[in-house]
Amino acid sequence: MSKITSNDVQKVAKLARLDISDEDLEKYAVQLEKILNYVAELEKIDTKNILPTTRAVEVVNKTREDIVKDTNVREELLDLAPNREGDFFRVPKIL
């Protein structure tokens, strides 16, 4: 794999609209090179018989039946408003 240069980092930063200082360019070039080397190592692993997964630990959603229930909280909710007018919330006029 070729060495990542400061110019490569500068080009990617420009494409991503990132403002990176000149003194950080070399630091990021080294870090990016390490990341790409690690990915190259991972590509050597034989994964032909491994099923794809989205996470290391399987997560199952707990669901419940959706049951409609009658509630009698309308008056309680209307009473929570700072201003109420009958069965409505009274709000300031916005122009």
Side-chain angles (χ1 to χ4, degrees):
M1 183 175 284
S2 64
K3 172 122 173 67
I4 302 295
T5 65
S6 296
N7 289 338
D8 296 329
V9 175
Q10 195 170 27
K11 181 179 178 181
V12 172
K14 183 178 179 182
L15 291 171
R17 291 181 170 82
L18 298 175
D19 185 24
I20 298 177
S21 65
D22 291 337
E23 57 267 5
D24 286 338
L25 286 176
E26 186 60 35
K27 178 177 75 171
Y28 292 143
V30 171
Q31 290 177 357
L32 188 55
E33 182 73 25
K34 287 180 181 179
I35 291 168
L36 294 176
N37 286 337
Y38 182 69
V39 170
E41 287 294 314
L42 291 176
E43 287 177 343
K44 295 177 184 177
I45 299 172
D46 181 20
T47 59
K48 290 179 186 169
N49 296 324
I50 306 297
L51 295 175
T53 60
T54 55
R55 54 182 58 89
V57 178
E58 188 60 36
V59 176
V60 179
N61 289 333
K62 293 182 180 180
T63 59
R64 61 174 171 77
E65 188 177 344
D66 192 13
I67 300 172
V68 177
K69 296 180 182 178
D70 289 331
T71 60
N72 193 14
V73 295
R74 178 183 173 124
E75 288 299 317
E76 292 175 35
L77 294 174
L78 287 169
D79 288 338
L80 293 174
N83 293 316
R84 176 181 173 181
E85 189 171 301
D87 289 339
F88 303 99
F89 297 120
R90 183 172 180 88
V91 296
K93 185 185 262 188
I94 300 173
L95 298 176

